[in-house]
Each structure stands twice: as C-alpha cells, then as structure tokens.
Amino acid sequence: MASGDNKQPDTETSRGPQRRTLSLPSWLDGRTIALLTGMVSIAAMVQTSHSGLSDDIHRLRDEMYAMRTELRQEFRGEIGGLRHELTAKIEKLDERLRKVEIDLAAIRTHLMGFDARPPHDEPQHEPS
C-alpha cells in the first residue's frame, strides 16, 4: 500500500485539522457597522415611540368609553326625571281640563232653551 493510492496521511506528518481564519467581507468596515448600528438604534426608538403612542391611544379610548358611559347614565337619570315631571304636569292639566269640561256641561245644561241671538227678522243695529 505504499503505492500512493492510499490517501491517508501518515501520523508522523499529519498536523491535525487546519484552522480557518475568520475574515469579514470587504464591505463590512467601520462606517458600515456604524451606519447599521445607527439604523437599528433609530428603529428601536421608533418602535418605542409607537408603543408609547399605542398605550396613550388605548388609555384615551378607555377614558372616553368611561366618560360616555357616565354621560349615558346621567342622561338616563335626567330623562327619567323629566319624564316623571312631565307626566305629573300632564296629569294636573288633565284634571283641570276635566273640571272645565264639567263646568261647561253644567253651564250648557242651565242655558238649554235660552237663545240670546236676535231673531232673523229684526234689523241689526250697527255699532256707532
């Protein structure tokens, strides 16, 4: 097997696995790294501000919902009070109207057969 077909290295001449050195691409220099770092920083700031705005919007939405609910309850109470007050006033007016109707019916009963209009054949006097 010493004919050279054997591709196994001799243990004496073998140095072990060779190490590769890490090298950065040519476009990745200090300016590029600074630019990328700046862009990541700006993106983080934008994300933070959007998150803060979102929190503010949700807080305002919750406050508006609470105010709307409070106003609805207040209006319902006010409308209920006005409805009760209006019903009481209508009942009083209805009572007064019944009294007027009763009085009017009594007056009509007393005036049955009494005609205060002048007869048609008498001449009408004109006021002077």
Side-chain angles (χ1 to χ4, degrees):
M1 294 212 166
S3 65
D5 289 278
N6 190 358
K7 301 250 178 172
Q8 291 181 349
D10 293 323
T11 55
E12 293 178 10
T13 59
S14 173
R15 294 184 186 160
Q18 293 182 351
R19 291 187 178 193
R20 288 187 174 176
T21 58
L22 289 175
S23 63
L24 297 175
S26 62
W27 58 269
L28 191 59
D29 58 358
R31 286 184 284 176
T32 306
I33 291 173
L35 182 66
L36 289 174
T37 304
M39 290 178 72
V40 168
S41 298
I42 290 172
M45 289 188 315
V46 167
Q47 177 64 30
T48 303
S49 66
H50 279 240
S51 176
L53 286 174
S54 176
D55 291 343
D56 289 343
I57 289 171
H58 286 296
R59 183 179 46 78
L60 286 173
R61 186 178 293 155
D62 292 342
E63 287 177 12
M64 293 301 290
Y65 180 76
M67 287 173 59
R68 184 180 68 181
T69 303
E70 183 181 331
L71 285 174
R72 278 185 177 174
Q73 291 174 349
E74 187 176 329
F75 283 144
R76 284 181 182 150
E78 290 290 326
I79 288 172
L82 289 173
R83 189 175 289 148
H84 179 69
E85 187 178 317
L86 185 61
T87 303
K89 286 183 178 182
I90 289 174
E91 288 174 356
K92 286 180 183 179
L93 286 173
D94 190 41
E95 186 178 322
R96 273 183 71 191
L97 182 60
R98 283 190 187 129
K99 287 180 182 179
V100 169
E101 287 175 341
I102 291 170
D103 289 345
L104 183 62
I107 291 171
R108 283 185 179 167
T109 304
H110 291 311
L111 293 179
M112 283 292 207
F114 180 72
D115 194 3
R117 293 178 286 180
H120 295 292
D121 54 352
E122 284 186 26
Q124 298 290 326
H125 296 287
E126 299 215 10
S128 46

